[in-house]
């Protein structure tokens, strides 16, 4: 019997906490902006791709923005400029946001991502394909298993959010698998093309479709691919070739990212349900240090809160 201590790890544990934090981009929203940060980054990425930006540039730009948003949320370049900061001041803040979470990353990748914020690419804004909006409107199925009732957890994520987070995870995981991050990013951004048209009934629904499943998935995926001009369509189709299995480094990076996101999405609901006031008031300092903290503490004590 093989010694388990000699088995190479299948994923980098050091990235776990960062991936958990990045998953919350599906749930961060701001006034005046439609959708979550993840949903909007998904649309930005596809707009840049249809506008003619190099896929490698888009992968780094979107991933860097996601890392900065992990702590800064929607205090992004557009807001900072509107608030009166110049480009250098804004980039300093964005890089600080990235630095706050990126210590576990591969050093070379981290530097490339920092550079993407220091010297942001002037990404063209091409037309947003119709499948982007459709995926943003398509809820994920929840927890399903053939022969058993579905477990729904509200609010559900949508497919645009899932694809974006898997794409970002894939870029961050790529050095571990020695995979090409651009291929993994494109594959992840396109891996649920079929759900732009196909409602998500989960594993249960897929099994009930039987032999009809893959022909339907193929037709629905092609409808989305056909929205792209020929050169981009060929590039995306080539990246999607890594999706069926883990035979390539890119396939392993994608499937690691996909499975991590699917399970962390459920873990987020469980984490919220088990949250305690000790964590909120103690560890997270909900009533935080300041000139009125002593008074606020007395108010809570006298009101017997919590």
């Amino acid at each position: 019997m093989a010694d388990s201590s000699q088995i190479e790890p299948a994923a980098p544990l050091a990235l776990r906490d960062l991936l958990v934090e990045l998953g919350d981009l599906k749930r961060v929203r701001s006034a005046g902006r439609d959708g979550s940060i993840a949903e909007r980054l998904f649309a930005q990425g596809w707009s840049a791709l249809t506008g003619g930006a190099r896929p490698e540039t888009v992968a780094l730009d979107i991933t860097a923005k996601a890392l900065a948003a992990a702590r800064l949320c929607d205090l992004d370049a557009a807001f900072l400029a509107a608030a009166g900061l110049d480009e250098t001041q804004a980039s300093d803040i964005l890089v600080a946001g990235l630095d706050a979470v990126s210590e576990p990353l591969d050093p070379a990748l981290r530097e490339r991502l920092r550079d993407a914020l220091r010297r942001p690419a002037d990404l063209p804004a091409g037309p947003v394909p119709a499948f982007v909006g459709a995926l943003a409107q398509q809820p994920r199925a929840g927890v399903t298993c053939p022969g058993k009732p579905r477990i729904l957890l509200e609010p559900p994520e949508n497919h645009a959010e899932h694809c974006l987070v898997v794409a970002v995870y894939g870029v961050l995981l790529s050095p571990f698998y020695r995979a090409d991050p651009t291929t993994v990013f494109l594959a992840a951004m396109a891996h649920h093309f079929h759900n732009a048209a196909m409602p998500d009934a989960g594993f249960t629904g897929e099994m009930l479709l039987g032999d009809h499943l893959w022909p339907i998935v193929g037709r629905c995926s092609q409808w989305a691919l056909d929205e792209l001009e020929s050169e981009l369509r060929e590039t995306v189709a080539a990246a999607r070739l890594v999706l069926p299995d883990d035979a390539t480094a890119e396939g392993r990076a994608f499937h690691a990212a996909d499975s991590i996101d699917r399970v962390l999405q459920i873990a987020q609901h469980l984490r919220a349900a088990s949250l305690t006031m000790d964590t909120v008031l103690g560890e997270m300092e909900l009533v935080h240090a300041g000139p009125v903290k002593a008074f606020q503490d007395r108010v809570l004590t006298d009101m017997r809160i919590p």
Side-chain angles (χ1 to χ4, degrees):
M1 183 175 179
D3 181 356
S4 61
S5 66
Q6 301 302 312
I7 298 175
E8 290 293 323
L13 178 59
L15 292 185
R16 183 191 185 282
D17 291 346
L18 172 57
L19 301 186
V20 170
E21 190 166 357
L22 285 169
D24 282 339
L25 296 182
K26 301 175 188 176
R27 294 170 275 277
V28 179
R29 292 169 170 78
S30 297
R33 305 193 189 197
D34 293 332
S36 67
I37 291 177
E39 184 178 319
R40 284 182 268 119
L41 286 176
F42 184 71
Q44 286 179 37
W46 279 111
S47 175
L49 288 167
T50 65
R54 294 175 63 240
E56 179 183 14
T57 302
V58 177
L60 291 171
D61 179 83
I62 295 297
T63 302
K65 287 174 177 174
L67 284 165
R71 295 287 170 87
L72 288 167
C73 299
D74 269 323
L75 301 179
D76 58 9
F79 169 79
L80 295 173
L85 276 63
D86 63 33
E87 289 185 7
T88 299
Q89 292 169 327
S91 67
D92 284 345
I93 290 172
L94 295 173
V95 170
L98 184 150
D99 287 346
V101 299
S102 63
E103 191 278 331
L105 294 181
D106 172 79
L109 175 60
R110 182 172 62 241
E111 285 309 308
R112 296 180 74 193
L113 294 168
R114 293 178 92 248
D115 193 57
L117 295 177
R118 285 275 180 215
R119 288 176 282 277
D122 185 16
L123 295 180
V128 178
F131 64 72
V132 170
L135 288 170
Q137 294 175 0
Q138 192 75 273
R140 300 268 290 156
V143 182
T144 69
C145 182
K148 299 178 181 179
R150 176 192 311 261
I151 299 174
L152 288 175
L153 298 169
E154 296 288 339
E157 62 179 326
N158 64 53
H159 280 79
E161 293 167 331
H162 169 65
C163 288
L164 184 282
V165 171
V166 173
V168 170
Y169 284 4
V171 171
L172 302 183
L173 290 165
S174 287
F176 179 84
Y177 298 101
R178 297 177 180 166
D180 172 45
T182 303
T183 299
V184 180
F185 179 85
L186 286 179
M189 290 283 278
H191 80 285
H192 274 284
F193 266 2
H194 57 287
N195 286 118
M198 181 180 181
D200 190 355
F203 185 33
T204 299
E206 291 175 353
M207 292 301 97
L208 290 172
L209 285 173
D211 292 341
H212 300 293
L213 171 63
W214 292 114
I216 290 174
V217 167
R219 283 192 291 271
C220 291
S221 297
Q222 192 61 48
W223 293 341
L225 277 166
D226 286 344
E227 293 186 43
L228 305 175
E229 55 83 22
S230 59
E231 184 177 351
L232 178 58
R233 181 169 64 248
E234 291 174 8
T235 300
V236 172
R240 280 171 50 91
L241 293 176
V242 310
L243 297 177
D245 55 48
D246 62 357
T248 63
E250 290 72 27
R252 289 188 288 278
F254 164 76
H255 285 290
D258 183 47
S259 58
I260 289 168
D261 182 59
R262 279 189 284 148
V263 177
L264 286 182
Q265 172 66 19
I266 306 306
Q268 182 272 333
H269 288 279
L270 301 179
R271 189 169 74 248
S274 62
L275 188 64
T276 68
M277 276 296 176
D278 284 342
T279 298
V280 171
L281 290 174
E283 181 181 335
M284 300 302 294
E285 301 182 71
L286 180 63
V287 179
H288 48 266
V292 296
K293 184 178 188 308
F295 173 71
Q296 292 172 324
D297 287 341
R298 285 171 50 208
V299 168
L300 294 175
T301 297
D302 291 345
M303 290 294 291
R304 298 181 183 177
I305 298 173

